[in-house]
């Protein structure tokens, strides 16, 4: 893709990578300036742990820390300096060349790496156990959680879905569409408005690029732990038909695709059974019966007809993903990707019969999935209230999934209880995926609130105030859904703080002034439900304003707001990394993915860090116990 426009926009407004990473697909916005410095021998950061080899020679990542612009240095014995290996190369002496860290060069480098070493873990893959058991680690606002994720993977010797976001809902699917004002919007009923797509601000390619570079900088790739990148909730059908080629292109580096059928199913245009090829009907019927589910002809026909149009479009999208990878990548490991079928956003709880028919169709249409995400009635950041009922719900789904060799994906997985996670792990034999995202924005709130650094405390006060004002405005909205949700978010912390107003709606919501007084009487805390629910909207809110018109702002004002988070102190970075890593260790232990003793060792090691630099420095190190 052409990145000239986005790179020019970012330079023009002084939105450099060092303070605003992953917006452009490129990690070098000004190659002319950086290459001149490299030729002249100017001071440039060399990341010594980034070293790796390909057939072309030895590679090292370089960075201008002032701007964040990066370059690849290639040292080779080839007489011509291997100048044609990547594009834009400049010779800096002898057999040494430097190349800009562009998106195009990253894709070329992936082929070079994987042709040379099929077991390399620089890039996301579908290897090891990632298609059977994983934790989905997303974040709804920045990339600042990555060091903690990489530390946890290293300490636990566990590969996870280390990069995960919904596209185009959270990530910008096309930076040129963004610049030209062509992004669509996404309904957020709980705030009574639509927010522009890509409300995190960064592009899907930029996020893909940055995740690879982050692991090289810390030397994580030296641990040779396979990790994946999930392009989550890829919308199938409906209004997304017109954009599917762009979505495929943007998600090229993802090694794991979640297919979300809800846009097509929401159209409510079922096929009649006569429209489905007879051979497919027969094969699907036989496979469902083989899985042990009994459906009469009428029920089977209705269910198959309901999902058939969406499944056809999923097949079309899947074929496009496979074709794009075959064209771009030269190795099997580089082309292979995992699949997940998401049916959790449809109304009601998913029946085993629905799961069986859809998994059977995936097999018959030759796109078998690794994970399926049924709806269990989970609410974000809330434990499931009845563990016995949860065990029964999961067991009914697992009886089907086990027959198909498919693991269960638990979406809205943040904030469940330890017992909830144990039930998930026990019923499935740890053949599961748990998607967590909002938790890590909350953990940033916890870290900033605890910081002793003045600038971080100022950010915390502004951030908390933003969520309070969003809740207050919502509580008196004319939109019934927005009002109901905002009042729920307000009552919850009042109940937990023992306020008598929590049980008297007439007094609490008698006037905006009364509600404000009750909210302002609460101690500022990231534990309040209204902070958790609204916090992610702050990152791209122009000027930090709680006005709905300010949300998801892709102008310079929105990105200047985002830069505030990338300016947090090392103290807060350490607090944040510890919080994120502890939660990942907790998930791994509770679900049975990692033995208890390994998790205990990791937690003890985590507690011992006094500086953020010390934590990052040990990402490349195997745990002592694992080397004995």
């Amino acid at each position: 893709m052409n990145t000239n426009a986005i790179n020019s926009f970012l330079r023009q407004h002084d939105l450099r990578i060092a303070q605003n990473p992953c917006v452009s697909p490129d990690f070098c916005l000004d190659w002319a300036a950086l290459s001149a410095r490299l030729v002249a021998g100017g001071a440039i950061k060399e990341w010594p742990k980034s070293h790796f080899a390909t057939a072309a020679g030895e590679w090292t990542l370089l960075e201008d820390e002032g701007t964040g612009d990066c370059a690849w240095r290639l040292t080779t014995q080839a007489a011509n300096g291997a100048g044609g290996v990547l594009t834009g190369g400049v010779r800096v002496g002898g057999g040494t060349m430097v190349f800009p860290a562009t998106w195009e060069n990253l894709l070329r480098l992936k082929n070079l790496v994987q042709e040379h070493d099929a077991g390399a873990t620089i890039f996301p893959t579908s290897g090891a156990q990632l298609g059977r058991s994983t934790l989905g680690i997303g974040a709804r606002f920045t990339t600042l959680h990555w060091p903690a994720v990489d530390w946890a993977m290293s300490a636990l010797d566990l590969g996870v879905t280390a990069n995960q976001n919904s596209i185009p809902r959270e990530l910008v699917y096309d930076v040129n569409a963004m610049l030209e004002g062509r992004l669509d919007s996404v309904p957020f009923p709980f705030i009574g408005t639509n927010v522009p797509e890509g409300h995190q601000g960064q592009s899907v390619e930029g996020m893909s690029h940055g995740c690879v570079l982050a692991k090289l900088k810390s030397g994580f790739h030296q641990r040779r732990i396979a990790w994946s990148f999930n392009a989550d909730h890829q919308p199938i059908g409906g209004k997304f038909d017109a954009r599917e080629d762009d979505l495929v292109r943007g998600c090229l580096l993802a090694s794991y695709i979640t297919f979300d059928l809800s846009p097509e199913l929401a159209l409510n245009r079922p096929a009649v059974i006569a429209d489905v090829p007879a051979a497919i009907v027969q094969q699907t019927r036989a496979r469902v019966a083989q899985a042990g589910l009994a459906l009469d002809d009428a029920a089977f026909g209705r269910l198959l007809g309901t999902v058939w149009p969406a499944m056809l479009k999923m097949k079309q999208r899947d074929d496009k993903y496979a074709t794009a990878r075959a064209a771009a990548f030269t190795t099997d490991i580089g082309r292979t990707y995992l699949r997940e079928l998401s049916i959790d956003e449809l109304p009601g709880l998913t029946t085993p019969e629905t799961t069986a028919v859809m998994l059977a169709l995936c097999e018959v249409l030759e796109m078998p999935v690794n994970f399926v995400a049924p709806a269990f009635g989970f609410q974000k950041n809330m434990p499931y209230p009845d563990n016995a009922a949860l065990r029964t719900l999961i067991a009914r789904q697992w009886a089907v999934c086990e027959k198909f060799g498919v693991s269960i994906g638990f979406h809205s997985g943040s904030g469940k209880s330890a017992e909830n996670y144990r039930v998930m792990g026990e019923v499935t034999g740890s053949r599961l995926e748990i998607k967590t995202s909002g938790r890590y924005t909350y953990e940033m709130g916890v870290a900033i609130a605890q910081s002793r650094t003045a600038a971080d405390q100022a950010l915390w006060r502004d951030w908390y105030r933003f969520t309070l004002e969003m809740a207050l405005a919502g509580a008196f909205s004319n939109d019934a859904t927005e009002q109901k949700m905002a009042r729920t978010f307000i009552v919850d912390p009042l109940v937990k703080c023992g306020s008598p107003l929590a049980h008297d709606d007439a007094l609490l919501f008698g006037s905006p002034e009364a509600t404000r007084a009750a909210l302002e009487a609460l101690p500022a805390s990231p534990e309040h439900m209204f902070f958790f629910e609204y916090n992610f909207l702050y990152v791209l809110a122009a000027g930090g304003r709680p006005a709905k018109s300010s949300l998801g702002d892709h102008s310079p004002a929105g990105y200047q707001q985002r830069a505030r988070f990338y300016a947090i102190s090392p103290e807060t970075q350490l607090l944040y990394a510890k919080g994120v890593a502890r939660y990942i260790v907790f998930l791994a232990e509770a679900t049975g993915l990692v033995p208890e003793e390994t998790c205990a060792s990791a937690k003890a090691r985590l507690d011992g860090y006094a500086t953020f630099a010390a934590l990052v420095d040990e990402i490349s190190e195997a745990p002592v116990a694992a080397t004995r």
Side-chain angles (χ1 to χ4, degrees):
M1 66 179 302
N2 191 314
T3 56
N4 290 339
I6 185 64
N7 293 348
S8 177
F9 167 82
L10 294 171
R11 292 196 309 270
Q12 177 186 351
H13 297 287
D14 198 27
L15 300 170
R16 303 309 295 258
I17 295 169
Q19 296 81 34
N20 253 303
C22 305
V23 181
S24 170
D26 294 337
F27 259 70
C28 181
L29 306 183
D30 190 347
W31 179 232
L34 180 58
S35 60
R37 289 191 64 187
L38 289 166
V39 170
I44 295 292
K45 168 77 174 182
E46 175 183 323
W47 291 96
K49 291 187 178 184
S50 68
H51 178 83
F52 62 94
T54 70
E58 307 292 324
W59 297 84
T60 306
L61 182 66
L62 308 176
E63 180 181 1
D64 178 341
E65 291 188 290
T67 65
D69 282 356
C70 291
W72 300 106
R73 184 178 69 199
L74 170 62
T75 304
T76 179
Q77 301 300 316
N80 64 359
V85 175
L86 303 182
T87 64
V90 174
R91 190 182 302 277
V92 291
T96 302
M97 300 281 295
V98 289
F99 303 90
T102 60
W103 175 248
E104 178 186 359
N105 278 342
L106 185 74
L107 299 182
R108 291 186 179 212
L109 198 54
K110 176 180 172 177
N111 286 331
L112 294 176
V113 167
Q114 294 178 335
E115 287 167 3
H116 182 72
D117 178 5
T121 56
I122 294 171
F123 291 86
T125 70
S126 58
Q129 296 297 307
L130 290 167
R132 292 172 53 89
S133 305
T134 188
L135 300 173
I137 313 299
R140 299 170 77 184
F141 78 136
T142 69
T143 63
L144 291 164
H145 61 302
W146 283 343
V149 179
D150 297 344
W151 183 92
M153 286 195 290
S154 181
L156 300 175
D157 196 22
L158 175 71
V160 303
T161 306
N163 195 23
Q164 169 192 298
N165 279 104
S166 298
I167 305 156
R169 182 166 59 190
E170 294 174 349
L171 301 184
V172 175
Y173 81 99
D174 184 329
V175 288
N176 291 317
M178 180 192 89
L179 292 175
E180 295 162 12
R182 293 188 285 110
L183 292 182
D184 201 349
S185 62
V186 180
F188 280 80
F190 79 97
I191 58 172
T193 192
N194 284 19
V195 176
E197 290 177 335
H199 63 72
Q200 288 185 219
Q202 59 260 38
S203 68
V204 57
E205 297 98 337
M207 176 76 101
S208 308
H209 200 157
C211 201
V212 170
L213 298 192
K215 288 169 175 52
L216 284 169
K217 290 178 181 180
S218 69
F220 174 79
H221 64 296
Q222 296 172 13
R223 294 282 286 110
R224 296 181 74 81
I225 296 171
W227 59 283
S228 64
F229 167 31
N230 175 214
D232 196 9
H233 283 295
Q234 284 292 282
I236 303 299
K239 66 180 180 180
F240 296 98
D241 284 344
R243 286 191 282 162
E244 71 174 6
D245 289 342
D246 294 328
L247 290 169
V248 168
R249 174 181 50 76
C251 298
L252 191 60
L253 210 62
S255 60
Y256 172 14
I257 305 293
T258 295
F259 297 88
D260 177 9
L261 305 187
S262 57
E264 183 67 21
L265 291 172
L267 297 177
N268 193 24
R269 298 174 184 168
V272 296
I273 199 71
D275 293 337
V276 186
I280 288 178
V281 174
Q282 294 166 5
Q283 292 173 54
T284 304
R285 192 88 165 93
R287 187 66 179 93
V288 170
Q290 186 183 0
L293 282 95
L295 278 166
D296 61 40
D297 289 342
F300 176 78
R302 284 193 302 272
L303 188 49
L304 183 60
T306 297
V307 302
W308 176 246
M311 295 300 291
L312 271 182
K313 289 194 174 182
M314 176 178 167
K315 175 60 174 174
Q316 175 178 299
R317 181 77 63 84
D318 185 63
D319 286 346
K320 289 188 175 185
Y321 280 124
T323 299
R325 281 164 171 73
F329 304 129
T330 56
T331 66
D332 287 341
I333 190 68
R335 292 171 171 174
T336 304
Y337 58 99
L338 305 172
R339 299 180 185 89
E340 178 178 46
L341 175 61
S342 171
I343 47 179
D344 71 303
E345 296 204 359
L346 303 178
L349 302 181
T350 307
T351 66
E353 290 79 9
T354 297
T355 303
V357 168
M358 298 186 88
L359 291 180
L361 276 170
C362 286
E363 283 189 3
V364 171
L365 293 174
E366 297 181 343
M367 50 178 185
V369 297
N370 303 88
F371 299 94
V372 63
F376 292 107
F378 283 178
Q379 300 296 318
K380 287 181 170 60
N381 198 42
M382 294 181 67
Y384 196 87
D386 187 333
N387 283 298
L390 179 61
R391 186 177 292 273
T392 299
L393 279 175
I394 298 173
R396 292 180 69 207
Q397 292 291 336
W398 182 243
V400 175
C401 294
E402 191 174 25
K403 299 280 180 37
F404 285 89
V406 173
S407 300
I408 294 182
F410 294 94
H411 292 196
S412 298
S414 292
K416 304 301 175 279
S417 68
E419 183 58 30
N420 290 164
Y421 292 127
R422 276 194 289 273
V423 168
M424 296 176 202
E426 288 170 2
V427 175
T428 64
S430 299
R431 285 203 55 178
L432 51 72
E433 169 210 43
I434 297 177
K435 276 186 162 59
T436 57
S437 184
R439 175 76 188 201
Y440 308 112
T441 318
Y442 155 81
E443 290 289 355
M444 177 61 82
V446 172
I448 293 180
Q450 294 175 354
S451 175
R452 297 165 297 178
T453 304
D456 295 344
Q457 275 296 304
L459 175 57
W460 162 243
R461 289 191 296 271
D462 292 345
W463 194 7
Y464 177 79
R465 174 60 60 177
F466 170 89
T467 64
L468 185 151
E469 296 294 344
M470 289 287 294
L472 182 61
F476 292 90
S477 170
N478 292 325
D479 182 285
T481 299
E482 180 186 6
Q483 183 186 109
K484 177 183 177 181
M485 297 306 294
R487 293 187 176 195
T488 299
F489 303 155
I490 289 169
V491 167
D492 182 80
L494 291 172
V495 168
K496 291 174 179 174
C497 289
S499 171
L501 289 173
H503 307 287
D504 192 335
D505 280 5
L507 279 178
L508 177 58
F509 299 112
S511 69
E513 292 75 20
T515 310
R516 180 180 292 279
L519 285 171
E520 291 183 344
L522 291 169
S525 170
E527 304 301 327
H528 298 334
M529 183 178 283
F530 62 81
F531 176 80
F532 185 93
E533 295 294 340
Y534 296 116
N535 59 24
F536 72 98
L537 293 164
Y538 187 62
V539 69
L540 216 64
R545 296 185 299 273
K548 292 175 181 177
S549 59
S550 298
L551 305 179
D553 189 290
H554 295 95
S555 75
Y559 284 110
Q560 287 157 5
Q561 167 73 2
R562 182 173 181 260
R564 295 188 69 185
F565 286 95
Y566 285 97
I568 60 173
S569 66
E571 174 197 12
T572 299
Q573 287 178 300
L574 176 63
L575 290 169
Y576 182 50
K578 284 186 173 184
V580 171
R582 282 195 194 100
Y583 193 70
I584 295 171
V585 173
F586 159 69
L587 290 173
E589 181 176 2
T591 56
L593 290 173
V594 176
E596 182 179 345
E597 57 272 21
T598 303
C599 293
S601 176
K603 286 182 280 191
R605 182 177 163 197
L606 193 61
D607 289 341
Y609 293 116
T611 67
F612 180 64
L615 180 148
V616 172
D617 188 55
E618 290 195 1
I619 289 173
S620 61
E621 304 297 322
V624 173
T627 62
R628 291 175 180 168

